[in-house]
């Protein structure tokens, strides 16, 4: 009994001492904080408030969704030239090249493309193999394009290259920087505040935006906006035929043209309807841009376009857009800068190229979509088709109000 009492006494004494020391320590800390706050109260409070309220920032992404021959490259280059943007031209191509160009409805392609796009939207490039494909494409395939036509200004600028593309000394041979995975991720995340990609329906799984939306909603670290770049279907059909995007082997029934017109309009309408039904949080994150509006008055459209993306106005972008939408004055300049064209003239080329049969097919299979996007039917009027003083679209259209 005596031993137990002695043990309890020692235990109580030790516990009491620990509590006493801890109490003195707490009193000391409180006094120190009071002194610190009195000496520099405003600064400490602000720093404490900033740290307490600090929320992890999401990676900002803008996705340009379009069909080929719809003005998407022209639109994409607006963002390509913005100094805050890390721009990738059709990143779905990487999945195609690495996995054998499998069909968009293939499950393996869907899984691989989801992983890839999720990485791209977080400045994570999945694997050294993916980074190697990026290096090959932007150095071997598009790298030898003229400096004004580089597919990604970010990947053609320091630290990857010695000079900026605006510098006459720029050359792909002066781009010794390796596009390895680590460097790509570091430069994308630290030097650029936004990633902008161009994605064509033909390469999207199921030919719709559904996967892209799911990727955007898959992580709290990703924030996305969708920019639908649309064009008069009659213009897409005519331009796609010239570019051999489809072939017409049935000269009488034009079954190739019918199939092509039906598919591009079905895919566009399907994706717009998916987007229309998204939760309210997406409401101000979707925009429809008609190529005709942009090409007719680029300088007027530009401020609203950058504001939607969340980017400030920039002189380099304004200068590039002016040059890209106006023809050079002399023939010598035109040969030296073929990328410079009259944008309004380019948007209306189809009105001189398309045959009456092609126009009737486009209006038949795309009539409902044309109405939503504000495009006017020609009503078999050959004279109206050639009269460029008459715009074939309304200023206000139903689809534009879907995302107000």
């Amino acid at each position: 009994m005596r031993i137990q009492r002695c043990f309890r006494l020692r235990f109580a004494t030790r516990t009491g001492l620990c509590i006493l020391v801890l109490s003195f320590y707490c009193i000391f800390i409180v006094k120190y904080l009071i002194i610190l706050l009195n000496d520099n109260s405003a600064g400490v409070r602000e720093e404490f408030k900033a740290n307490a309220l600090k929320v992890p920032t999401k990676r900002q992404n803008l996705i340009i969704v379009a069909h080929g021959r719809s003005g998407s490259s022209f639109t994409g280059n607006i963002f390509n030239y913005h100094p805050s943007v890390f721009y990738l031209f059709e990143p779905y191509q990487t999945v195609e090249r690495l996995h054998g160009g499998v069909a968009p409805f293939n499950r393996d392609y869907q899984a691989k493309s989801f992983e890839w796009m999720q990485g791209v939207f977080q400045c994570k490039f999945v694997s050294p193999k993916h980074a190697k494909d990026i290096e090959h494409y932007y150095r071997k395939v598009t790298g030898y394009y003229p400096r004004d036509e580089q597919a990604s200004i970010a990947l053609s600028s320091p630290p990857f290259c010695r000079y900026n593309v605006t510098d006459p000394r720029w050359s792909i041979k002066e781009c010794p920087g390796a596009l390895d995975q680590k460097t790509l991720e570091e430069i994308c995340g630290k030097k650029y505040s936004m990633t902008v990609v161009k994605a064509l329906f033909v390469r999207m799984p199921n030919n719709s935006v559904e996967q892209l939306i799911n990727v955007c909603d898959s992580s709290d670290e990703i924030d996305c906006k969708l920019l639908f770049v649309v064009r008069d279907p009659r213009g897409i059909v005519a331009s796609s035929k010239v570019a051999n995007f489809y072939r017409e082997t049935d000269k009488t029934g034009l079954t190739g043209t019918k199939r092509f017109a039906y598919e591009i309009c079905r895919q566009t309408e399907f994706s717009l309807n998916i987007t229309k039904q998204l939760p309210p949080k997406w409401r101000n994150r979707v925009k429809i841009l008609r190529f005709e509006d942009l090409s007719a008055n680029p300088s007027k459209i530009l401020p609203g376009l950058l504001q939607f993306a969340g980017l400030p106005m920039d002189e380099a972008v304004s200068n590039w857009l002016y040059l890209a939408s106006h023809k050079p004055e002399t023939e010598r300049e035109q040969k030296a800068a073929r990328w410079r064209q009259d944008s309004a003239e380019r948007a209306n080329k189809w009105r001189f190229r398309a045959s009456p049969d092609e126009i009737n097919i486009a209006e038949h299979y795309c009539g409902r979509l044309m109405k939503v996007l504000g495009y006017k039917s020609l009503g078999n009027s050959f004279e109206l088709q050639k009269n460029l003083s008459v715009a074939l679209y309304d200023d206000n259209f139903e689809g534009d109000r879907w995302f107000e």
Side-chain angles (χ1 to χ4, degrees), residues 237 240-241 245-264 358 361 365:
V237 169
S240 296
K241 184 179 180 182
F245 275 30
Y246 78 94
R247 294 184 181 277
E248 183 56 83
T249 56
D250 180 6
K251 303 300 181 182
T252 305
L254 299 180
T255 53
T257 303
K258 291 175 181 176
R259 188 182 303 113
F260 182 79
Y262 170 77
E263 277 300 318
I264 63 167
E358 291 169 348
I361 288 171
Y365 288 103

Side-chain angles (χ1 to χ4, degrees), residues 208-353:
S208 85
V209 297
E210 191 169 13
Q211 184 191 78
L212 288 169
I213 293 169
N214 290 336
V215 170
C216 292
D217 286 339
S218 68
S219 172
D220 292 334
E221 298 179 8
I222 300 174
D223 187 81
C224 300
K225 290 181 179 178
L226 292 174
L227 178 64
F228 282 89
V229 177
V230 298
R231 185 185 183 185
D232 190 321
R234 295 165 295 195
I236 296 179
V237 169
S239 182
S240 296
K241 184 179 180 182
V242 172
N244 289 321
F245 275 30
Y246 78 94
R247 294 184 181 277
E248 183 56 83
T249 56
D250 180 6
K251 303 300 181 182
T252 305
L254 299 180
T255 53
T257 303
K258 291 175 181 176
R259 188 182 303 113
F260 182 79
Y262 170 77
E263 277 300 318
I264 63 167
C265 290
R266 180 194 65 81
Q267 292 167 13
T268 304
E269 193 171 2
F270 181 71
S271 285
L272 284 174
N273 284 329
I274 287 176
T275 313
K276 182 184 178 183
Q277 296 168 24
L278 288 174
K281 70 173 185 176
W282 276 93
R283 189 62 54 192
N284 63 346
R285 294 159 65 189
V286 181
K287 181 179 179 66
I288 298 176
L289 173 67
R290 294 188 304 195
F291 178 49
E292 291 79 10
D293 292 322
L294 176 61
S295 61
N297 201 337
S299 60
K300 180 181 178 181
I301 297 296
L302 179 62
L305 192 58
L306 293 180
Q307 183 179 26
F308 166 73
L311 292 166
M313 284 290 291
D314 183 81
E315 187 177 0
V317 176
S318 300
N319 291 342
W320 176 86
L321 185 57
Y322 176 82
L323 292 173
S325 57
H326 292 78
K327 273 185 178 180
E329 294 181 1
T330 66
E331 185 177 344
R332 182 180 177 183
E333 288 178 317
Q334 289 177 20
K335 289 181 179 180
R338 296 186 183 279
W339 57 277
R340 291 187 59 188
Q341 299 181 35
D342 184 305
S343 56
E345 182 181 300
R346 177 168 49 185
N348 282 310
K349 273 186 178 180
W350 70 268
R351 296 175 72 168
F352 295 97
R353 285 178 174 172

Side-chain angles (χ1 to χ4, degrees), residues 67-226:
H67 284 290
R69 316 306 296 177
S70 64
S72 57
S73 294
F74 181 68
T75 307
N77 270 325
I78 292 174
F79 298 99
N80 190 16
Y81 271 85
H82 199 288
S84 298
V85 167
F86 186 88
Y87 181 74
L88 289 179
F89 180 87
E90 296 189 41
Y92 271 118
Q93 286 191 23
T94 290
V95 186
E96 277 192 333
R97 287 189 290 267
L98 292 181
H99 302 285
V102 292
F105 293 91
N106 180 282
R107 288 187 179 181
D108 182 60
Y109 179 80
Q110 293 176 356
K112 294 292 194 300
S113 59
F114 187 98
E115 178 189 33
W116 171 238
M117 297 307 292
Q118 188 181 54
V120 166
F121 293 159
Q122 298 177 81
C123 286
K124 298 174 183 177
F125 293 92
V126 182
S127 75
K129 183 173 63 174
H130 289 78
K132 195 69 179 176
D133 180 80
I134 290 288
E135 182 176 57
H136 173 78
Y137 182 72
Y138 289 99
R139 289 294 178 264
K140 303 298 183 183
V141 179
T142 66
Y144 288 93
Y145 290 0
R147 63 186 177 89
D148 297 306
E149 300 178 44
Q150 285 299 297
S152 174
I153 301 300
L155 297 180
S156 304
S157 302
F160 301 114
C161 301
R162 297 186 192 279
Y163 309 107
N164 289 307
V165 295
T166 52
D167 192 318
R169 294 173 295 176
W170 186 93
S171 166
I172 193 63
K173 296 177 182 178
E174 298 291 336
C175 296
L179 302 182
D180 60 89
Q181 184 183 357
K182 182 180 178 182
T183 307
L184 281 171
E185 292 176 352
E186 184 177 336
I187 297 303
C188 174
K190 293 183 178 179
K191 187 177 179 181
Y192 301 95
S193 61
M194 178 179 291
T195 298
V196 178
V197 303
K198 168 187 162 182
L200 297 184
F201 283 109
V202 69
R203 294 189 172 94
M204 297 177 198
N206 300 324
N207 303 129
S208 85
V209 297
E210 191 169 13
Q211 184 191 78
L212 288 169
I213 293 169
N214 290 336
V215 170
C216 292
D217 286 339
S218 68
S219 172
D220 292 334
E221 298 179 8
I222 300 174
D223 187 81
C224 300
K225 290 181 179 178
L226 292 174

